[in-house]
């Protein structure tokens, strides 16, 4: 009896410690470092700004890195050259925002509304844009190495001369995208819709295009060296002078149009 009674406090204390440890490990909220509430009139880096409305605000060159901007209204705001590295912009309203040259490396823009945003020359490297609305966005000359765009809505997007090397663009709607000279080296575009795309001189070398739809696309002089084209649809696509050296799993829509994996003009 004595042994049993002595063990109970020890077991209770141990159980509490284990529960606390599990809560800390399993709960992302518990693991987050609390940010100080920022001033909406003068937002800054590593601040909790969820209570702010920043619509139409001029934030050119502002340092907002690491800040919590979840759900914040930034529509029509000017964030050009701003520092948003590692910022949390999930579900934020960025419609018609100006983000020219903005630094967004490692930022989370999942579920954000970026309808007709102007983000030319911005850096989205390692950023997360899962299910982000980028309809009609201007993303010319952006850098988006290893960025996550899975299930994003990117119809009518402009990404001329953009570098999306290693990016994940699975199940993305890229209908009628303008991607002249864009780089998709080693990117994953599986199951994506690129019907009617203008992608002359684009680089798809090493890319994964499994079940992708490129029907009716203009792919003149595009490079598909080493790409995986399993079940991709190139019907009615223009592939004049496109290069397919080393491409694997050539689909039926290319049979008879490519000789030794090169287009013969």
């Amino acid at each position: 009896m004595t042994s049993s009674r002595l063990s109970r406090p020890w077991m209770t204390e141990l159980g509490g410690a284990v529960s606390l440890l599990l809560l800390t490990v399993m709960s992302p909220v518990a693991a987050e470092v609390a940010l100080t509430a920022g001033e909406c009139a003068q937002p800054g880096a590593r601040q909790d700004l969820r209570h702010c409305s920043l619509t139409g605000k001029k934030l050119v060159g502002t340092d907002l890195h690491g800040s919590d901007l979840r759900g914040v209204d930034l529509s029509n705001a000017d964030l050009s050259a701003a520092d948003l590295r590692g910022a949390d912009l999930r579900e934020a309203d960025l419609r018609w925002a100006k983000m020219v040259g903005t630094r967004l490396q490692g930022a989370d823009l999942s579920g954000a509304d970026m309808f007709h945003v102007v983000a030319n020359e911005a850096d989205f490297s390692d950023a997360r844009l899962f299910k982000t609305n980028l309809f009609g966005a201007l993303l010319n000359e952006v850098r988006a190495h290893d960025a996550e765009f899975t299930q994003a809505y990117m119809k009518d997007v402009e990404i001329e001369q953009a570098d999306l090397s290693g990016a994940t663009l699975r199940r993305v709607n890229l209908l009628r995208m303008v991607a002249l000279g864009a780089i998709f080296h080693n990117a994953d575009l599986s199951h994506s819709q690129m019907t009617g795309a203008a992608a002359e001189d684009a680089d798809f070398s090493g890319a994964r295009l499994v079940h992708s739809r490129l029907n009716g696309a203009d792919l003149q002089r595009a490079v598909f060296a080493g790409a995986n084209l399993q079940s991709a649809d190139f019907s009615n696509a223009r592939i004049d002078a496109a290069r397919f050296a080393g491409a694997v799993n050539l689909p039926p829509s290319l049979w008879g149009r490519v000789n030794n994996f090169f287009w013969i003009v």
Side-chain angles (χ1 to χ4, degrees), residues 132-164:
T132 300
N133 178 23
L134 286 155
F135 177 81
L138 300 183
L139 305 174
N140 299 307
E141 298 184 60
V142 302
R143 181 182 176 90
H145 287 190
D146 302 311
E148 171 66 75
F149 290 91
T150 296
Q151 294 186 48
Y153 189 72
M154 300 176 72
K155 182 179 177 183
D156 294 333
V157 70
E158 289 188 20
I159 47 176
E160 293 188 40
Q161 303 295 327
D163 188 349
L164 292 95

Side-chain angles (χ1 to χ4, degrees), residues 154-160 172-182 184 189 192-202 204 209 212-220 222 224 233-239:
M154 300 176 72
K155 182 179 177 183
D156 294 333
V157 70
E158 289 188 20
I159 47 176
E160 293 188 40
V172 174
N173 186 336
L174 288 159
L175 186 71
R176 296 194 302 270
M177 72 169 174
V178 179
L180 280 65
F184 296 96
L189 291 138
S192 287
Q193 166 69 276
M194 290 172 274
T195 299
E200 299 99 309
D201 302 297
F204 293 93
L209 292 150
S212 292
R213 299 186 63 182
L214 290 142
N215 50 309
D218 191 340
L219 304 166
Q220 297 178 84
F224 292 90
D233 184 4
F234 284 83
S235 58
N236 300 312
R238 294 194 62 181
I239 54 174

Side-chain angles (χ1 to χ4, degrees), residues 1-263:
M1 289 292 282
T2 302
S3 174
S4 176
R5 287 175 180 170
L6 288 173
S7 66
R8 286 175 186 170
W10 175 81
M11 291 176 66
T12 301
E13 185 178 345
L14 177 61
V18 171
S19 298
L20 180 60
L21 177 61
L22 287 173
L23 179 63
T24 303
V25 172
M26 296 174 66
S27 171
V29 175
E32 290 179 357
V33 176
L35 300 178
T36 303
E39 295 183 14
C40 301
Q42 282 189 308
R46 299 196 57 77
Q47 294 179 352
D48 186 342
L49 300 166
R50 288 175 293 171
H51 56 288
C52 298
S53 175
L54 302 173
T55 180
K57 196 169 181 64
K58 302 298 182 184
L59 297 166
V60 178
T62 303
D63 185 359
L64 296 166
H65 83 269
S67 288
D68 191 342
L69 290 150
R70 284 176 288 174
V72 172
D73 187 353
L74 286 153
S75 58
N76 290 299
D78 192 346
L79 292 152
S80 297
D83 187 349
L84 283 159
R85 291 172 300 152
D88 193 340
L89 289 145
R90 285 175 287 174
E91 308 291 337
D93 185 352
L94 288 155
R95 291 173 298 164
W96 303 291
K98 191 173 182 181
M99 306 177 79
V100 177
T102 302
R103 301 171 66 186
L104 290 144
Q105 299 98 310
D108 193 344
L109 294 128
S110 298
D113 191 349
M114 300 180 74
F115 178 84
H116 281 285
V117 71
V118 178
N120 297 324
E121 301 177 12
D123 194 338
F124 290 90
S125 296
D126 297 305
R128 182 172 168 79
L129 297 100
F130 177 69
K131 289 188 175 181
T132 300
N133 178 23
L134 286 155
F135 177 81
L138 300 183
L139 305 174
N140 299 307
E141 298 184 60
V142 302
R143 181 182 176 90
H145 287 190
D146 302 311
E148 171 66 75
F149 290 91
T150 296
Q151 294 186 48
Y153 189 72
M154 300 176 72
K155 182 179 177 183
D156 294 333
V157 70
E158 289 188 20
I159 47 176
E160 293 188 40
Q161 303 295 327
D163 188 349
L164 292 95
S165 297
T168 301
L169 298 109
R170 293 176 59 85
R171 301 185 185 280
V172 174
N173 186 336
L174 288 159
L175 186 71
R176 296 194 302 270
M177 72 169 174
V178 179
L180 280 65
I183 301 172
F184 296 96
H185 177 66
N186 288 335
D188 188 350
L189 291 138
S190 299
H191 298 276
S192 287
Q193 166 69 276
M194 290 172 274
T195 299
E200 299 99 309
D201 302 297
D203 182 1
F204 293 93
S205 59
R208 184 175 172 81
L209 292 150
V210 176
H211 289 285
S212 292
R213 299 186 63 182
L214 290 142
N215 50 309
D218 191 340
L219 304 166
Q220 297 178 84
R221 300 175 303 282
V223 179
F224 292 90
N228 186 348
L229 307 177
Q230 182 180 348
S231 302
D233 184 4
F234 284 83
S235 58
N236 300 312
R238 294 194 62 181
I239 54 174
D240 309 57
R243 289 176 283 167
F244 291 86
V248 297
N249 300 318
L250 238 64
S253 54
L254 286 177
W255 293 354
R257 303 176 67 191
V258 172
N259 182 25
N260 293 329
F261 300 118
F262 284 87
W263 173 253

